[in-house]
Amino acid sequence: MCGIVGQLRPPGQPVDPDLVSRMCAGLEHRGPDSRGMHVAEHVGLGIQRLRVIDISTGDQPIYNEDHSVVVVLNGEIYNYRELRSELQARGHRFATQGDTEVIVHLYEEHGEACVEHLHGMFAFALHDRRANRLLIGRDRVGKKPLLYRYADGVLSFASEMHALLQDRDIPRAVDHRAIDAFLEHGYVPTPLTALQGVRKLPPAHTLVIEDGAATLRRYWQLDYGVKLDADVPELCERIRDGLRSATRKRMISDVPLGAFLSGGIDSSAVVAAMAEASSEPVRTFSIGFDHERFDELPHARAVAQQFGTVHEEFEVRADAVEVVPQMIRHYGEPFADPSAIPSFYLSELTRRHVTVALNGDGGDESFGGYQRYVANAMASRLDRIPAPLRRTIAGIGGRLPAGGAVTSTTNKVRRLAGTLALDGPGRYARYVAWFDGAARAALYTPGFAALVGDGAPDPVRAAWEDASGADVVDRMLEVDVRTYLVDDLIAKIDIATMAHALEARSPFLDHELMQLAASIPAGLKVRGGEKKWILREALRGWLPDELLDRPKQGFSVPLSAWLRGDLRSWAAEILLDPVTLGRGYFEPAAIRSLLDRHAAGADGEDKRIWALLMLELWHRDFIDAPLRDAVPAAA
């Protein structure tokens, strides 16, 4: 696991080695064990390496036999041993025992299509000297990040924003459409970033720069259209076998290894699979809160006891926001998911003991673990009601009194009624929005609204309309895999773990296991009002029924209580600061109204306040303040 950087310039324009070195320095927290650089005329590649596999000979860059092809890799290739054997049989000679070297030899065999043979989590950059071609690629699900800017024939790229911005030719100009998208989703959706001209390489894509032309290609996607014709017992066995296989692959390591354990179904299943495959006790790590409603530590302890793990815990309190400035710097753009805070602390705790940690990310998005899947599936059945009548019901529902818990019956009915007049993707976008269109319009000044214009393309609608599945549940799952999963959950864990030089691996994000889940009929994933039905059935007898049948708690934080208590004055000081209001984005009266509604007990405003805080703090660090040359390693 590492961080990679690089630059390609037109022939005759040499790359500055000092630039590559500065970019590497900005990623030392991701890879503190070694630095490698390849700078030859108009191409420069750099890597900060965290040694996990092939500790003694695996430092990068890695070359082919005649040094005409060079590669740097961030991530792990889980099928490298099989690939190595195949390539050796075809006459390729290897100089290392690690996974990176298979990429250069695969490229010699298959060219750009080499990426289709790789199973794992990765972002890599490869230069072919003979063809004067640069290839960058990202894994199928988007586990490893890669940002880039291509302008005037110059490509600069890096694993994180602060490293990329060591290239002083990249202006720190805010992309206002991306800010609008951030406020809607709580993250900046791929391929946008918060800066103009800087883009994220999408998952399952390659970018080739050759002869001054850039070609972006998608090489893989899940197929929800073809369903397995098998009975439930067979499907359950295939799920268990798939999880076992995915977990075993992710236990290959030359350094200490453990697991995040929340006490929920997915992380518990991963720990169960690890315990089955390991001859030694598994090491597990959990995070909790000083609010009982949000604390899953008792459930995690029960799982740890059942599987005989060596267990460590950490409790997060409101003063944990002291880590927010460091988080802002690592994320590199506004990021509103408040569970990033406990993820940051959990990663720090875990890194004290191990270098690799498995987790349960991806189970919900593959098997249907969110209440919104149930709600939207129910709402879609009401589409048979004539549109004029649906609009009338929506108007009546909108007049129901707001207030009380988000999960109250009144608010559920109000929310459902309010989406009846929308089509499928519009309804789902409304469900997942932090600030919907009306809320953003009420917040923006006329000047900022003009800058935003029509906004960026809607990623939810784009993914919905491109989805391969016919069932509404499958469409929601595919939308989440391509939006929320990659830009929120995966980004959150990658940044939190790599800030502490900890490698995170996710068996549920194995692309073969995900394709198996996509091939299971939607009615077995969300069955009536029950979420993840087929996964629960597959895990019966492996995990206790009381764990499988208890309501989903989720990895959330007591944000509302914090913002009404210890953090109330902090939030108001930042959001009502003349510096904040002077940006001209938001109407001061709208900000005050938002803070007042939350203080008065309105539910659901805490996330919006937090998003505005993260936006302003990002502005102060990345736009207002001079960028430091390098980011210190996390404490």
Side-chain angles (χ1 to χ4, degrees):
M1 189 69 70
C2 314
I4 62 172
V5 302
Q7 187 177 76
L8 177 73
R9 304 184 68 84
Q13 296 184 19
V15 169
D16 181 1
D18 289 341
L19 167 62
V20 179
S21 181
R22 291 197 311 270
M23 293 172 81
C24 284
L27 295 177
E28 283 183 353
H29 55 280
R30 293 185 74 97
D33 294 334
S34 72
R35 177 180 299 176
M37 290 173 46
H38 167 89
V39 181
E41 297 299 331
H42 63 288
V43 63
L45 305 178
I47 179 157
Q48 290 290 149
R49 186 181 181 222
L50 176 65
R51 294 176 178 139
V52 173
I53 293 176
D54 188 18
I55 293 174
S56 59
T57 69
D59 283 351
Q60 304 177 40
I62 297 290
Y63 301 84
N64 66 341
E65 294 91 337
D66 66 1
H67 280 219
S68 63
V69 179
V70 57
V71 70
V72 288
L73 166 71
N74 170 25
E76 305 289 354
I77 308 301
Y78 298 127
N79 64 331
Y80 79 96
R81 291 172 175 166
E82 297 89 337
L83 292 172
R84 178 189 178 96
S85 296
E86 295 171 6
L87 290 163
Q88 285 177 322
R90 298 181 67 84
H92 294 271
R93 299 190 307 276
F94 283 74
T96 74
Q97 297 300 313
D99 57 343
T100 304
E101 194 172 3
V102 301
I103 299 176
V104 293
H105 299 298
L106 277 173
Y107 174 80
E108 291 178 301
E109 291 285 335
H110 304 287
E112 180 188 353
C114 66
V115 70
E116 299 172 21
H117 298 262
L118 301 175
H119 293 191
M121 54 178 183
F122 55 82
F124 71 84
L126 178 149
H127 184 249
D128 180 343
R129 174 170 51 84
R130 291 175 177 168
N132 190 25
R133 177 188 301 129
L134 185 76
L135 163 67
I136 61 176
R138 193 175 179 196
D139 67 74
R140 292 167 178 82
V141 189
K143 278 281 291 175
K144 305 316 302 176
L146 198 57
L147 309 175
Y148 71 94
R149 178 180 185 258
Y150 185 59
D152 302 321
V154 177
L155 175 75
S156 298
F157 61 88
S159 297
E160 294 183 15
M161 183 70 81
H162 51 73
L164 182 66
L165 291 181
Q166 299 306 313
D167 180 354
R168 307 301 191 198
D169 291 333
I170 299 177
R172 277 177 276 159
V174 176
D175 186 332
H176 298 109
R177 296 194 312 159
I179 299 307
D180 177 63
F182 160 74
L183 291 171
E184 180 175 5
H185 302 289
Y187 53 80
V188 178
T190 298
L192 297 176
T193 74
L195 296 184
Q196 295 178 23
V198 178
R199 292 292 179 260
K200 303 181 184 92
L201 183 65
H205 277 70
T206 57
L207 177 67
V208 173
I209 308 294
E210 186 173 11
D211 297 328
T215 304
L216 185 67
R217 183 179 75 89
R218 183 175 182 173
Y219 65 88
W220 177 87
Q221 71 181 92
L222 287 168
D223 183 0
Y224 291 81
V226 178
K227 297 300 181 182
L228 293 169
D229 182 14
D231 59 18
V232 167
E234 180 182 344
L235 291 174
C236 288
E237 187 61 33
R238 292 182 68 168
I239 291 170
R240 288 190 294 268
D241 288 346
L243 181 57
R244 287 186 177 106
S245 174
T247 302
R248 284 195 301 269
K249 283 187 259 184
R250 285 157 180 79
M251 293 178 70
I252 299 172
S253 176
D254 294 331
V255 293
L257 177 145
F260 292 163
L261 178 60
S262 70
I265 292 174
D266 302 330
S267 65
S268 299
V270 169
V271 168
M274 292 176 71
E276 186 180 273
S278 178
S279 59
E280 300 292 332
V282 176
R283 304 203 67 156
T284 54
F285 305 90
S286 299
I287 205 87
F289 302 95
D290 55 350
H291 287 69
E292 183 177 351
R293 175 187 163 198
F294 297 90
D295 190 16
E296 286 194 286
L297 285 180
H299 304 297
R301 288 184 203 124
V303 175
Q305 183 175 10
Q306 176 175 348
F307 293 104
T309 75
V310 179
H311 190 59
E312 306 282 347
E313 296 178 350
F314 186 88
E315 186 176 272
V316 175
R317 299 177 181 272
D319 58 8
V321 296
E322 293 176 359
V323 80
V324 166
Q326 189 179 22
M327 285 169 42
I328 294 288
R329 172 51 61 99
H330 284 293
Y331 280 96
E333 63 182 0
F335 185 78
D337 188 337
S339 66
I341 294 175
S343 298
F344 223 71
Y345 279 103
L346 177 59
S347 298
E348 191 276 333
L349 164 70
T350 303
R351 186 59 175 93
R352 298 176 197 171
H353 305 278
V354 300
T355 309
V356 176
L358 277 65
N359 61 53
D361 286 357
D364 288 323
E365 292 76 19
S366 282
F367 291 97
Y370 299 126
Q371 183 61 34
R372 61 179 178 260
Y373 300 145
V374 176
N376 277 270
M378 292 174 58
S380 69
R381 291 196 284 271
L382 300 178
D383 287 344
R384 288 170 254 177
I385 299 174
L389 180 55
R390 282 191 283 121
R391 287 193 291 269
T392 299
I393 297 173
I396 295 172
R399 291 193 290 272
L400 289 173
V406 172
T407 55
S408 70
T409 300
T410 298
N411 273 325
K412 285 182 178 180
V413 172
R414 188 173 185 270
R415 191 174 190 182
L416 174 62
T419 64
L420 285 181
L422 303 174
D423 62 3
R427 181 182 300 122
Y428 195 60
R430 176 78 65 85
Y431 261 86
V432 298
W434 288 53
F435 288 87
D436 62 21
R440 298 199 307 282
L443 185 65
Y444 294 167
T445 64
F448 187 62
L451 288 174
V452 169
D454 293 334
D458 180 0
V460 171
R461 181 169 294 276
W464 187 287
E465 293 176 349
D466 187 47
S468 57
D471 189 277
V472 65
V473 169
D474 278 336
R475 284 183 177 268
M476 289 185 284
L477 293 171
E478 190 163 1
V479 166
D480 276 357
V481 165
R482 292 172 57 179
T483 57
Y484 174 68
L485 178 66
V486 62
D487 287 323
D488 189 311
L489 299 185
I490 289 177
K492 174 184 69 180
I493 292 299
D494 175 79
I495 293 296
T497 54
M498 292 310 297
H500 300 87
L502 176 70
E503 176 172 305
R505 299 178 178 177
S506 309
F508 276 104
L509 294 180
D510 181 278
H511 75 274
E512 293 177 334
L513 180 57
M514 292 180 73
Q515 182 56 62
L516 171 63
S519 303
I520 293 173
L524 296 179
K525 287 176 278 193
V526 176
R527 191 179 192 186
E530 188 172 355
K531 307 179 296 293
K532 289 164 82 169
W533 182 84
I534 190 67
L535 180 62
R536 294 171 191 269
E537 291 303 301
L539 297 176
R540 291 201 186 277
W542 210 10
L543 297 178
D545 287 348
E546 55 267 28
L547 169 64
L548 294 171
D549 295 331
R550 74 177 180 88
K552 178 181 177 64
Q553 192 162 339
F555 191 50
S556 55
V557 302
L559 185 62
S560 186
W562 288 355
L563 289 173
R564 288 195 183 103
D566 295 349
L567 303 184
R568 180 175 176 177
S569 60
W570 173 74
E573 287 172 7
I574 292 175
L575 295 184
L576 297 176
D577 189 305
V579 172
T580 305
L581 299 177
R583 300 194 193 284
Y585 289 0
F586 310 127
E587 293 285 359
I591 298 293
R592 293 189 184 94
S593 176
L594 177 62
L595 293 169
D596 290 345
R597 289 196 304 273
H598 180 69
D603 224 343
E605 304 289 24
D606 52 338
K607 290 175 58 178
R608 294 179 173 182
I609 293 171
W610 189 254
L612 295 176
L613 287 167
M614 295 305 99
L615 174 60
E616 175 57 26
L617 293 175
W618 170 79
H619 245 286
R620 295 182 182 190
D621 192 33
F622 273 82
I623 305 301
D624 298 348
L627 190 68
R628 295 188 294 270
D629 281 346
V631 177

